[in-house]
Amino acid sequence: MNKSTRLNQELIFLNARESFQLKDLMETFDISKRTALRDLQELETLGLPLYSVPGRYGGYRILDTKLLPPLYFNFEEITAIFFALKALEQLYTNPFQQLYTSITQKLMLNLSKAQQEAVYQTLNVTHYYNPMALKPAHFLPELLQAIIDEKQVALTYSQHELQTINVRFFDLFYREGVWFTHAINIDNKKWGVYRCDYMTSFTVLETKDNLSRHQLELSLQAHNKSFRSIYFKCKISEFGKELFQKNHYETMKIEILDNQAYLTGYYNESEINYLVHYLIEFGEHIKIESPESLKMSYIDQLKTILNRYETI
């Protein structure tokens, strides 16, 4: 175990104690008395509020500050944090968008000039090309808090038609440049997937229903099972498997049957146009086997595309 990892674990170990003896550190972390004393000096420098108690049965006591002392990160760990922050910036809009500047500044203040320069050099040669958000997503911090607090929300939504509904959100997820959320309509008990960029007003209600988060999860699972009941199966090539890994939906998976890879999953009849559009992106690397209705819709869409070129 390297030194920085050991110091972090020692901080966590000691934070849960009111008192300890030097042998506790020596036995728990398999270190010598000399190393344990050096570690205690560094832990005090890092902010661990301890003092020694003299006497035969003395040792050390920790002040009851109720706060975990600052953790020690080595330079590689600090660089990894900056990598993660840079990746999150590519989302364009996220629940913590306003905090990244202050987080970066605070981290930089704890680095030496040489370390700061090394971080900047590393990040300058690192680039992310993930899809940017297509539109600004609204109310992400409020939505996330409503999920955590298990609160209902009066929502004005405008994707297909302007409507005001009371919903309970379950989660928040990002796919292909768009933030989505699963939510249940409180009035008709129907589940739906909502795009956050189509939310135009958002009011957290004091009303709290009796559904626990676990019950909500079971309800969503039951909905998905009954709503998406049509099974589909497509042959897929090795390159097609790579395309699948880059972009797929939670109701899909890759199966290997008789040494042949298949893309399988479930859909609802109302989603067939979305599924056809998704499958067409695989080009020659996929072949629909079943059901026949999906195959015909796929062929019809291909004919529509071909007709555009035949009229030129």
Side-chain angles (χ1 to χ4, degrees):
M1 182 187 303
N2 62 47
K3 182 179 178 181
S4 63
T5 301
R6 187 177 71 248
L7 288 172
N8 274 334
Q9 293 189 6
E10 287 173 347
L11 280 172
I12 296 170
F13 172 74
L14 295 176
N15 188 68
R17 294 168 170 259
E18 295 181 356
S19 63
F20 67 97
Q21 294 185 332
L22 200 62
K23 67 177 183 179
D24 295 328
L25 283 182
M26 295 167 59
E27 293 173 358
T28 302
F29 297 96
D30 192 23
I31 55 178
S32 67
K33 181 177 180 180
R34 187 176 179 181
T35 300
L37 288 170
R38 283 202 305 264
D39 282 358
L40 283 180
Q41 289 178 343
E42 294 208 37
L43 292 174
E44 284 189 278
T45 302
L46 290 171
L48 182 67
L50 62 84
Y51 62 94
S52 61
V53 179
R56 183 178 178 183
Y57 300 102
Y60 297 88
R61 289 192 176 276
I62 301 174
L63 296 175
D64 186 15
T65 60
K66 304 300 183 184
L67 293 173
L68 184 67
L71 296 180
Y72 175 78
F73 293 101
N74 62 32
F75 180 66
E76 288 74 18
E77 291 168 334
I78 287 289
T79 305
I81 292 173
F82 279 106
F83 263 71
L85 290 173
K86 184 171 182 179
L88 286 172
E89 288 176 356
Q90 299 302 305
L91 296 184
Y92 180 68
T93 303
N94 60 71
F96 308 104
Q97 189 71 31
Q98 305 303 318
L99 300 178
Y100 293 132
T101 300
S102 63
I103 292 172
T104 300
Q105 291 172 347
K106 289 177 181 179
L107 287 173
M108 282 297 183
L109 287 174
N110 287 279
L111 300 180
S112 66
K113 292 292 184 182
Q115 289 175 326
Q116 290 179 16
E117 182 61 28
V119 167
Y120 285 131
Q121 288 179 348
T122 303
L123 296 181
N124 283 339
V125 298
T126 307
H127 305 285
Y128 298 88
Y129 297 105
N130 293 325
M132 295 286 286
L134 301 179
K135 297 180 183 178
H138 307 298
F139 311 113
L140 290 185
E142 295 87 347
L143 197 157
L144 184 59
Q145 195 60 50
I147 294 172
I148 295 170
D149 294 340
E150 300 182 3
K151 291 290 187 67
Q152 296 181 17
V153 171
L155 179 70
T156 303
Y157 191 71
S158 62
Q159 183 174 12
H160 302 296
E161 60 179 353
L162 190 64
Q163 55 178 327
T164 300
I165 51 178
N166 292 342
V167 297
R168 170 91 181 270
F169 296 110
F170 178 74
D171 59 7
L172 185 62
F173 60 98
Y174 185 83
R175 177 184 288 135
E176 294 187 289
V178 180
W179 280 102
F180 296 91
T181 176
H182 288 101
I184 185 170
N185 186 315
I186 299 300
D187 298 323
N188 60 22
K189 307 301 180 186
K190 290 184 178 180
W191 281 94
V193 176
Y194 297 85
R195 284 181 54 158
C196 297
D197 51 323
Y198 285 107
M199 297 178 184
T200 57
S201 74
F202 189 103
T203 304
V204 178
L205 304 175
E206 291 305 317
T207 308
K208 188 172 181 179
D209 54 55
N210 296 322
L211 280 177
S212 67
R213 178 161 178 80
H214 178 63
Q215 291 172 319
L216 207 63
E217 181 178 11
L218 293 177
S219 175
L220 177 57
Q221 290 174 354
H223 161 77
N224 286 336
K225 189 173 182 179
S226 62
F227 180 71
R228 296 185 176 96
S229 58
I230 304 174
Y231 176 77
F232 71 92
K233 178 181 176 183
C234 310
K235 279 187 177 179
I236 191 168
S237 69
E238 285 299 312
F239 183 71
K241 288 163 62 177
E242 289 186 27
L243 296 177
F244 171 84
Q245 294 298 331
K246 293 177 182 178
N247 176 33
H248 63 272
Y249 295 85
E250 62 272 14
T251 56
M252 302 175 179
K253 63 181 178 180
I254 296 292
E255 295 186 85
I256 307 299
L257 304 171
D258 298 327
N259 296 321
Q260 170 64 51
Y262 293 90
L263 168 59
T264 65
Y266 293 87
Y267 69 97
N268 181 273
E269 186 63 34
S270 64
E271 299 175 314
I272 192 167
N273 290 334
Y274 295 102
L275 182 56
V276 166
H277 174 76
Y278 172 78
L279 295 176
I280 281 179
E281 294 179 355
F282 285 82
E284 63 181 335
H285 300 285
I286 203 164
K287 181 182 179 182
I288 300 172
E289 291 208 336
S290 64
E292 192 67 21
S293 58
L294 176 61
K295 187 187 301 184
M296 296 310 299
S297 294
Y298 182 88
I299 292 172
D300 287 342
Q301 184 61 42
L302 288 178
K303 288 179 179 178
T304 299
I305 295 171
L306 286 173
N307 287 337
R308 292 174 183 171
Y309 291 93
E310 292 176 355
T311 58
I312 297 176

